Amino acid sequence: MSSSDTRQARSLLNAAAVRERAHEMLAIGVAGGLDHWNVDLDRLSETARYVAAVIRDQYPTLTVPFHARWRHFAIDGVDLWGPAAGTRDWLDPASRARAEFDLAIVSVLLDAGAGPDWSYRDAQTGRTLTRSEGLAIASLRMFEAGAFSITEDDPWRVDAVALTFLTAADLAHGFQVTADNPLVGLDGRAALLRRLGQACLAEPDLFALEDEPRPGGLFDAMVDRADDQDRLPAPVILEVLLEALGPIWRDRLTLGGVDLGDCWKHPAIKRGDATDGLVPIHKLSQWLSYSLVEPLQTAGLRITDLDGLTGLAEYRNGGLFMDLGVLTLKDPADAEKPWPVSDPLVVGWRAMTVALLDRIAPLVRAELGVTAGAMPLASVLEGGTWAAGRRAAAERRPDTGKGGGGPPLTILSDGTVF
């Protein structure tokens, strides 16, 4: 392997690279240069009005929180994590932050699409939940029960060693999986957490600076990258995650010995170097980056350049643009076929979704009369495009999945992408 290849691989492990190639893909699509997709930017204004209406409906004061995993730890507006964490006797703010990193990292890595037939009944609230909310509460309950801890006097932590022994059966028990309640990618999710445990053990300089190896050790690694005024740019959060988590992804592309993670090939993206055809997306890692902002802020850090991260290329955002007519398949029959995540049809869809989120955010703000400072991209996503995508899906596909509103495409996922 050449040092040039290694350097070029690392050039793809950041949000700026995701944004650059996403907008390039969109420009090619607008020009009619993609095999599978038509793009109609004239539909963006109507889509922005739809999103703005959803935001007004959900957040009448237009005070919208960030798109983060913490939103899913609430049921009917009742936060199941914050008050409990607030009453716990933490050793110091860093101890709480490490625990919140533990919880967020494991929960986000378990947050790929659940599939249409899975649900979770929460014994404490009596509620039956599906999709991201169900996955979140199931992972929260496992965390609270000490399912990821081997530290006898501290169940509220995730120990690397515990993860290395986690089985699909353990996960199935915690997530109430049965033959009649199947969870997509169960084996893949369990294997992913085992590889996370192995990565923690293999990289003490990232995961064990102030404690035994644990995912929450990344809190200390990020504190080390803050400046002397405790400022940390949000894109740096992503860069630390991509460095730390690269080895956990299975059967993904590598370049120069570097794991590229959520990065895929598409023939439309041309380069005269080793990155030719490569399209970085890093969806789960960016979702996790957004989810780590609040624990870092609670611990006293000032997070800057939040809009340096990109929107998320997942099926709610991508589905919004399909359902509102911004993106249409050149062959409508393609909507009926199952697609692997590596197919150029899916790669193009996901990349254009990232670029379209950049395009729609200022239109949504204009509809609402708010500034980018008052409503950063993370809030537009939450308020927002993700919620609007779910609503549009429920209106158009009410009979798909538990609770209706399945995605507009059938994606063959191993439980680690969508």
Side-chain angles (χ1 to χ4, degrees):
M1 69 188 71
S2 72
S3 60
S4 174
D5 283 359
T6 301
R7 185 170 61 254
Q8 290 170 29
R10 290 187 175 132
S11 75
L12 299 174
L13 299 180
N14 57 77
V18 174
R19 181 165 271 123
E20 176 192 4
R21 298 195 182 202
H23 282 276
E24 185 175 337
M25 186 77 75
L26 180 62
I28 295 168
V30 169
L34 297 181
D35 289 343
H36 300 100
W37 294 100
N38 292 313
V39 184
D40 183 359
L41 294 181
D42 290 341
R43 301 287 300 170
L44 262 184
S45 294
E46 182 178 336
T47 306
R49 286 192 289 273
Y50 185 89
V51 174
V54 171
I55 292 176
R56 283 195 189 97
D57 185 36
Q58 294 201 119
Y59 299 96
T61 66
L62 303 186
T63 302
V64 186
F66 298 156
H67 191 54
R69 192 53 162 166
W70 307 103
R71 309 290 83 76
H72 292 155
F73 295 136
I75 296 180
D76 298 330
V78 178
D79 182 5
L80 302 182
W81 169 255
T87 59
R88 198 166 196 253
D89 186 19
W90 302 99
L91 184 64
D92 53 30
S95 298
R96 174 171 176 165
R98 290 184 200 108
E100 291 183 329
F101 266 51
D102 278 341
L103 173 58
I105 291 169
V106 167
S107 189
V108 167
L109 292 180
L110 290 169
D111 189 41
D117 302 316
W118 177 82
S119 63
Y120 177 82
R121 179 168 176 77
D122 182 47
Q124 292 187 35
T125 62
R127 285 291 309 277
T128 296
L129 306 156
T130 61
R131 303 194 178 104
S132 281
E133 289 86 350
L135 293 168
I137 299 303
S139 61
L140 173 64
R141 297 311 189 198
M142 288 186 72
F143 178 83
E144 290 173 334
F148 308 114
S149 172
I150 58 167
T151 305
E152 190 170 328
D153 59 348
D154 188 6
W156 282 22
R157 60 181 285 136
V158 178
D159 286 301
V161 172
L163 291 180
T164 63
F165 289 102
L166 188 78
T167 67
D170 295 329
L171 214 52
H173 177 74
F175 281 68
Q176 301 174 357
V177 175
T178 64
D180 296 326
N181 191 39
L183 177 65
V184 168
L186 180 68
D187 289 336
R189 293 169 205 260
L192 183 66
L193 290 189
R194 288 195 297 273
R195 291 194 297 274
L196 172 63
Q198 292 158 2
C200 293
L201 294 171
E203 294 285 352
D205 288 347
L206 284 169
F207 292 100
L209 289 172
E210 301 290 342
D211 198 351
E212 293 301 308
R214 59 189 291 193
L218 288 180
F219 167 75
D220 301 294
M222 291 182 191
V223 169
D224 276 0
R225 286 162 173 79
D227 68 14
D228 56 8
Q229 294 181 315
D230 293 327
R231 292 177 303 197
L232 180 70
V236 175
I237 300 173
L238 176 65
E239 289 163 23
V240 172
L241 288 175
L242 292 176
E243 177 188 356
L245 302 183
I248 76 175
W249 307 109
R250 182 179 57 188
D251 300 329
R252 299 286 179 84
L253 298 174
T254 63
L255 176 62
V258 176
D259 297 287
L260 297 181
D262 187 6
C263 180
W264 310 88
K265 290 185 176 180
H266 195 289
I269 301 299
K270 305 293 187 184
R271 291 292 185 279
D273 59 28
T275 70
D276 183 53
L278 294 178
V279 182
I281 296 175
H282 307 312
K283 177 256 172 177
L284 269 181
S285 297
Q286 296 213 71
W287 170 224
L288 181 51
S289 298
Y290 284 121
S291 299
L292 296 180
V293 168
E294 288 159 72
L296 287 162
Q297 290 175 327
T298 300
L301 273 73
R302 297 163 56 198
I303 306 304
T304 62
D305 192 18
L306 192 62
D307 279 356
L309 298 173
T310 78
L312 302 181
E314 43 79 37
Y315 72 84
R316 287 303 179 205
N317 289 323
L320 172 71
F321 295 119
M322 288 182 67
D323 286 336
L324 274 292
V326 181
L327 298 176
T328 54
L329 290 163
K330 289 184 174 179
D331 181 357
D334 283 344
E336 308 305 320
K337 302 173 185 175
W339 297 95
V341 292
S342 58
D343 193 280
L345 180 148
V346 178
V347 177
W349 178 48
R350 298 181 73 207
M352 288 192 291
T353 294
V354 169
L356 287 167
L357 289 166
D358 276 348
R359 291 286 198 100
I360 202 172
L363 301 179
V364 171
R365 294 181 191 118
E367 286 285 331
L368 297 171
V370 298
T371 65
M375 191 174 289
L377 181 60
S379 298
V380 175
L381 294 174
E382 176 62 25
T385 55
W386 186 87
R390 174 176 278 188
R391 183 174 296 186
E395 291 168 354
R396 288 156 178 78
R397 290 175 299 281
D399 300 325
T400 57
K402 285 190 177 180
L409 289 177
T410 299
I411 309 298
L412 301 173
S413 173
D414 66 354
T416 62
V417 176
F418 278 92

